[in-house]
Amino acid sequence: MKVVSEVYFTIVICSYNPDDRLLQRCLNAVSRLAHHGFGSEVLLVDNNSNPPLANRLFVQDFLNTKPDSKIIVAEQQGLVYARIVGISQAKGEYLVFFDDDNEPQSDYLIEIHALNQRYPAVAAWGPGTVPVDFVDGIDSRIKEVAYGALQGKRENYTAFACLRQWQACYPFGTGLCIKANVLAKFMEWFNAGKLTATGRNGVSLASGEDLQMVMTCIALGYAAGHSPRLQVVHVIPGKRADMTYIKRLSYGSNLAFHTSIAEVLPEYAEVVNSQLHRPRRFAFKSAKRYLSALLTGSPAKMVNTINYIGAMSSLYRLYHLPVPKIVTAILKHAKLL
């Protein structure tokens, strides 16, 4: 079989103070990834973990059994900085990003390679199938909303697009695969200060850097999509299987949404202007929805409310407007500020 490239895929695993059980599952899954006619390397990026990843025996075992793997350290805190370090040292034509709580199916690289060959205009792929494994269990009352908040997916078909607004088929960070030349442009823009999303940073659950990587594909004229042929299990421990974490994650993800896209595609700010609610309407809808969620005790209503407040706050941030005081009070009551 003809070898496509000496290093076709660079697998980048970014980690900060991981749950050892999850990281070990991730590394075991990466060790089982099949290769048919192409090579790969693994970069394990330590974003200041304490203790360092290199001090963990199972990490050393992984490195010793995979000569095409190494640990690199990203000293500046924040997921985007870890990813930038990985991008800067990658040798592959495509980079595949796994978080330390991701468990890819063994044929993941084979399926991406097949998709790349069939759809050369698509520069970013993500999994269409993302089961969520709550390893320590979860309250059945919040399981469904947690599934959605934690990027669970059950798609039935391959889809992609090249539209300059976010589409349902565009991939998130879990299992994200992107062409190296696109990421070179992303890194150039980030280093120049054009892009500001830092991703998760310590205890902060803000996001946006994965969204900006995908939208860079679109800005360069490529398409992005997902496929059910790509499967990654998202492994969630008990400390992240509660409403406190889900609310923080939902708020952080939505808060970064509009501003992150507009930094990549400046015309986007004009496109979404009609979605902006005036302060009185924003405050009224937020208060009404939040009170209803509290009175009914509905996890779905609460997450929908937080999603609304986060997304609208993102628009206010985009247009440099102050968030209404009532909304700020709600966020403080919900322990999101």
Side-chain angles (χ1 to χ4, degrees):
M1 181 177 293
K2 182 181 178 180
V3 176
V4 176
S5 171
E6 183 177 351
V7 179
Y8 187 77
F9 289 113
T10 294
I11 298 169
V12 180
I13 305 169
C14 300
S15 187
Y16 167 71
N17 287 345
D19 182 319
D20 282 356
R21 300 172 300 164
L22 277 56
L23 178 57
Q24 190 160 14
R25 282 181 61 168
C26 175
L27 296 181
N28 288 342
V30 169
S31 295
R32 294 192 296 266
L33 289 171
H35 298 67
H36 286 181
F38 52 80
S40 71
E41 63 175 352
V42 181
L43 303 180
L44 180 55
V45 186
D46 188 348
N47 197 197
N48 300 312
S49 297
N50 185 21
L53 299 185
N55 292 0
R56 306 172 198 225
L57 292 178
F58 70 89
V59 172
Q60 286 298 329
D61 288 342
F62 172 80
L63 297 172
N64 290 336
T65 57
K66 287 192 68 63
D68 53 354
S69 65
K70 65 178 180 179
I71 286 183
I72 52 181
V73 176
E75 296 182 353
Q76 192 162 356
Q77 198 67 50
L79 181 56
V80 72
Y81 301 110
R83 286 182 165 165
I84 289 290
V85 168
I87 293 167
S88 67
Q89 297 198 27
K91 300 175 182 177
E93 295 180 32
Y94 289 84
L95 278 71
V96 182
F97 294 95
F98 294 125
D99 292 332
D100 55 28
D101 57 3
N102 293 169
E103 192 174 47
Q105 192 165 275
S106 61
D107 63 354
Y108 200 79
L109 300 184
I110 294 173
E111 294 293 354
I112 293 178
H113 182 262
L115 289 166
N116 288 342
Q117 300 304 301
R118 186 172 182 182
Y119 306 108
V122 181
W125 287 106
T129 305
V130 184
V132 181
D133 181 6
F134 298 100
V135 290
D136 298 316
I138 188 171
D139 189 327
S140 60
R141 294 171 296 181
I142 68 170
K143 186 173 183 178
E144 193 60 29
V145 295
Y147 181 92
L150 295 162
Q151 299 184 4
K153 295 182 76 171
R154 308 183 186 98
E155 301 298 335
N156 296 317
Y157 55 89
T158 297
F160 53 86
C162 185
L163 298 174
R164 296 172 76 87
Q165 294 187 52
W166 188 261
Q167 304 297 304
C169 65
Y170 288 173
F172 288 101
T174 300
L176 178 62
C177 174
I178 301 190
K179 284 177 69 73
N181 67 308
V182 172
L183 291 171
K185 179 58 69 174
F186 166 79
M187 184 167 63
E188 175 189 325
W189 286 347
F190 183 83
N191 290 336
K194 178 180 178 180
L195 310 179
T196 62
T198 61
R200 296 189 301 274
N201 189 337
V203 298
S204 171
L205 297 181
S207 62
E209 85 297 332
D210 51 351
L211 187 154
Q212 291 191 323
M213 289 192 291
V214 172
M215 297 313 290
T216 300
C217 291
I218 306 304
L220 297 179
Y222 292 104
H226 63 213
S227 174
R229 295 167 60 181
L230 303 175
Q231 177 172 318
V232 176
V233 178
H234 199 183
V235 188
I236 303 300
K239 66 181 181 181
R240 284 189 271 150
D242 62 21
M243 279 299 294
T244 299
Y245 181 86
I246 293 165
K247 288 191 297 183
R248 289 175 56 224
L249 179 63
S250 298
Y251 178 67
S253 300
N254 281 280
L255 184 62
F257 184 78
H258 294 295
T259 48
S260 295
I261 296 177
E263 286 182 348
V264 180
L265 304 170
E267 76 275 12
Y268 178 80
E270 295 182 13
V271 174
V272 295
N273 183 266
S274 61
Q275 298 180 23
L276 183 70
H277 292 172
R278 293 181 181 275
R280 183 175 296 179
R281 184 183 180 193
F282 182 19
F284 177 77
K285 291 191 71 170
S286 298
K288 182 179 178 181
R289 292 185 180 191
Y290 188 63
L291 287 173
S292 177
L294 289 176
L295 291 172
T296 61
S298 168
K301 284 187 176 183
M302 180 58 73
V303 171
N304 287 338
T305 299
I306 299 303
N307 287 341
Y308 167 74
I309 293 175
M312 195 56 57
S313 296
S314 183
L315 284 174
Y316 270 62
R317 176 183 288 184
L318 175 60
Y319 299 119
H320 307 289
L321 299 172
V323 172
K325 292 181 179 180
I326 291 177
V327 176
T328 299
I330 292 171
L331 292 171
K332 288 180 178 178
H333 186 269
K335 299 181 179 178
L336 296 173
L337 288 181

